[in-house]
Amino acid sequence: MKRGVWVLFFCLLLLAAGCGKTESQGPISLIGTSDGYSAALAIAPGSVGPNTFTVTLKDQQHQTVTGGRATLYFAMAGMEHGKSELALASQPDGTWKGEGPHLMMGGKWQLRLVWADEQGKSRSFAYEIDLAQ
């Protein structure tokens, strides 16, 4: 009987220790495609709060794209207050980066990358993540 009480006690202790904490998922990697273009999106640390968003964009010939403009749009279904956007800056290593607190709560997020080339033609890449609470 004593052993069962101790097991129950430790289980309750472990549950209580985890309450109120935001779990980190670790870095998130996603791929989106549009008209033969691909956009790899990396989100680090991949948790609620500030994150770094890095995109590697490849054209139809699988060459890295560095020109134009790239913007990430964030939304949660049914949550108007969760909508935001982040302009990404082209980096010397061929990636696009931006930082911000755009994932402000756990749940299902829809992200959309819109990239426009120098002539103004745009492509849209869609991503979905389920961020830990």
Side-chain angles (χ1 to χ4, degrees):
M1 180 71 175
K2 285 185 179 183
R3 183 175 176 182
V5 171
W6 280 108
V7 170
L8 180 61
F9 173 76
F10 281 113
C11 288
L12 291 173
L13 185 62
L14 288 173
L15 283 172
C19 292
K21 291 187 178 180
T22 301
E23 293 180 30
S24 176
Q25 297 188 176
I28 298 169
S29 296
L30 305 163
I31 301 279
T33 60
S34 177
D35 297 327
Y37 282 66
S38 67
L41 171 62
I43 304 169
S47 60
V48 172
N51 283 277
T52 299
F53 302 91
T54 306
V55 170
T56 303
L57 185 62
K58 303 269 182 167
D59 65 14
Q60 295 158 328
Q61 289 77 37
H62 306 289
Q63 300 297 312
T64 302
V65 176
T66 57
R69 291 184 331 270
T71 305
L72 265 176
Y73 295 88
F74 304 82
M76 289 186 87
M79 298 283 207
E80 286 296 317
H81 64 276
K83 292 184 177 179
S84 62
E85 65 183 66
L86 175 65
L88 303 177
S90 181
Q91 304 296 305
D93 67 358
T95 62
W96 298 78
K97 283 191 181 179
E99 295 182 6
H102 298 278
L103 300 173
M104 54 203 88
M105 63 188 289
K108 294 184 187 243
W109 285 89
Q110 292 89 36
L111 283 70
R112 187 170 50 96
L113 171 70
V114 176
W115 173 75
D117 65 17
E118 290 85 357
Q119 290 76 37
K121 179 174 170 118
S122 65
R123 289 180 172 78
S124 182
F125 305 85
Y127 310 93
E128 287 190 11
I129 61 173
D130 193 356
L131 200 59
Q133 302 274 346

